[in-house]
Amino acid sequence: RLQKGNRTCGWWNQLETRSLKAMVLACIDPRFQELVTKYTAGRGLTGKYSQFTVAGAAIGVVAPRFENWHDTFWDNLGASVELHRITTVIAINHRYCGAAKIAYGAAAVADATAETRTHREALAEFRKQLAVRFPKLGIETGLMALDGTLERIL
């Protein structure tokens, strides 16, 4: 049994007092797991962020279709703030997202223009909710392509 302060588990104390830079919110799509890892590594964030992975990334957190998931994300973010003292949330949605189609319908992702609009709206709603729930946290939002490039969405 692990306990706080247990001398045989020194990593426990290190983890408890460790400050991380961010929480990364990303999608479960296996095509993007390595791309998100490369993106965060390129920013010098390896080992410096917590991660929450859910279908649709920010869409999974704000879309009415996935309402039952919302509290789980916000509770996990609260834990990351408390445990890791993160200062920023980095939300990475991606193109060709099946969860976007499930949440908003085929027309919402029918072409690049519609798809971009759908992600912009979902990310804007995510930023709005984050500002209400965690007003001290910074936020970065982006839309990742299949080649790993990230378009910042403000």
Side-chain angles (χ1 to χ4, degrees):
R1 188 174 122 189
L2 300 178
Q3 296 180 7
K4 183 177 173 182
N6 184 338
R7 290 181 190 266
T8 62
C9 295
W11 60 267
W12 181 268
N13 290 330
Q14 289 176 344
L15 178 63
E16 189 172 29
T17 60
R18 185 174 183 185
S19 290
L20 301 180
K21 302 279 187 201
M23 172 184 269
V24 174
L25 170 61
C27 185
I28 63 171
D29 189 319
R31 297 173 296 173
F32 289 89
Q33 301 304 308
E34 186 176 342
L35 297 175
V36 169
T37 299
K38 285 181 181 179
Y39 172 76
T40 55
R43 294 200 41 201
L45 293 173
T46 301
K48 298 177 183 173
Y49 67 92
S50 59
Q51 185 166 358
F52 191 91
T53 306
V54 65
I59 288 171
V61 176
V62 301
R65 172 67 170 79
F66 302 124
E67 180 181 8
N68 290 336
W69 303 349
H70 299 177
D71 286 341
T72 301
F73 170 77
W74 296 115
D75 289 347
N76 272 264
L77 179 57
S80 192
V81 168
E82 185 177 337
L83 292 171
H84 304 136
R85 296 185 294 278
I86 64 161
T87 58
T88 304
V89 175
I90 303 169
I92 303 174
N93 283 14
H94 69 84
R95 295 202 176 272
Y96 308 105
C97 180
K101 185 176 179 180
I102 291 169
Y104 302 116
V109 294
D111 58 40
T113 301
E115 178 187 42
T116 300
R117 182 175 50 251
T118 297
H119 285 284
R120 280 189 189 281
E121 291 171 0
L123 289 165
E125 179 61 25
F126 178 75
R127 286 191 306 273
K128 178 180 164 186
Q129 290 186 28
L130 182 73
V132 169
R133 293 171 182 260
F134 295 90
K136 294 181 181 180
L137 289 181
I139 178 71
E140 298 177 21
T141 53
L143 183 58
M144 187 170 276
L146 285 169
D147 66 0
T149 56
L150 187 77
E151 174 188 352
R152 292 281 177 111
I153 304 290
L154 304 174

